Amino acid sequence: MNFSLKMSPALMENKKDMRSKMELHLVEAKELGLLERAVFLGCQGSQNYNLDNALSDVDTKLLLMPTFEDLALNRQAVSTTHVLKNNEHMDLKDVRLFVPTLRKQNVNFVEMLFTDFYIVNSLYEKEWMKLVAAREEVARFSPNRTVMAMRGIACNKYKVFNNKVSEGFREDLGYDPKQVYQMGRVVEFVHRYIKGKESYAELLKSQQRDLLLELKSGRLNYNEAVEYMNMQYVHVNKVADEYLMTDRPENKYVDELLDEVLVNMMKVYLKEMVS
């Protein structure tokens, strides 16, 4: 395939450390034989929320085209997580799943349209940038779905924060402080989203950086963490229930745009495969 990989301005000009870390993800993608199928590699997580520090890992999402065999044999679309040699994570997602997932309004996917740190395949850059140009509209395709999705994330954090199955569980604390930190971030987002006074780009940047980083470090003892999680869980369900009492229409333009972009990307890919 005749393609090139283009870095975002932030990677090229301002964040040399981020660039080297993102390039490590590209190297592993190449080793896995995924580079020619790559649509987009984007940073996910704390760097997008103003919640990173010098010790923060760089985790990414790699959006992929299916193989010809996947299409011909109607195989299940890829959706998995690859753990890199340095223990960072790269989520592998078939683009046929990713674009429809934007309709579900989960911030963990919508944020890919807002990250400053990304690498895009030149073959699909035109279509990808259509999504970026309309990102505020895409991000607000369905306000009710957004609130439901964020409540779902909060409920998941509440469910696993003191369960040993949680990846960051600490024996000395009896819970996973990362889950507590994530609960705080999600509840802050929901509260500000419902107020409706900020752009989605602004909402992604936490206004409680110091507090959330303290929670992530394990500042709370077990009883304090339980009390905090109970309080946040009750609050997020209350405000979500109240918000969802009102039906809100979905954006028909965005619905059509998502289909258009996905179809056009697939046309480009199939043309390249047979040329």
Side-chain angles (χ1 to χ4, degrees), residues 53-81:
N53 56 37
L55 300 178
S56 295
D57 288 341
V58 172
D59 296 324
T60 59
K61 277 186 169 56
L62 178 63
L63 308 184
L64 297 165
M65 283 295 176
T67 66
F68 181 79
E69 289 77 10
D70 290 338
L71 293 173
L73 300 176
N74 197 29
R75 290 174 180 161
Q76 185 172 357
V78 171
S79 181
T80 188
T81 298

Side-chain angles (χ1 to χ4, degrees), residues 1-7 34-41 63 65 118-128 265 268-269:
M1 285 192 179
N2 183 23
F3 71 93
S4 60
L5 297 175
K6 296 186 178 181
M7 292 187 177
L34 301 175
L35 211 54
E36 287 197 353
R37 293 166 49 203
V39 174
F40 173 90
L41 177 71
L63 308 184
M65 283 295 176
Y118 65 85
I119 300 169
V120 63
N121 186 327
S122 59
L123 288 174
Y124 313 109
E125 183 181 17
K126 178 182 177 181
E127 297 305 318
W128 181 262
M265 284 185 176
V268 170
Y269 181 56

Side-chain angles (χ1 to χ4, degrees), residues 51-53 181 208-217:
L51 292 171
D52 59 312
N53 56 37
Y181 142 83
Q208 302 183 88
R209 174 181 168 85
D210 292 343
L211 170 63
L212 294 180
L213 291 181
E214 285 183 8
L215 293 176
K216 189 176 183 179
S217 71

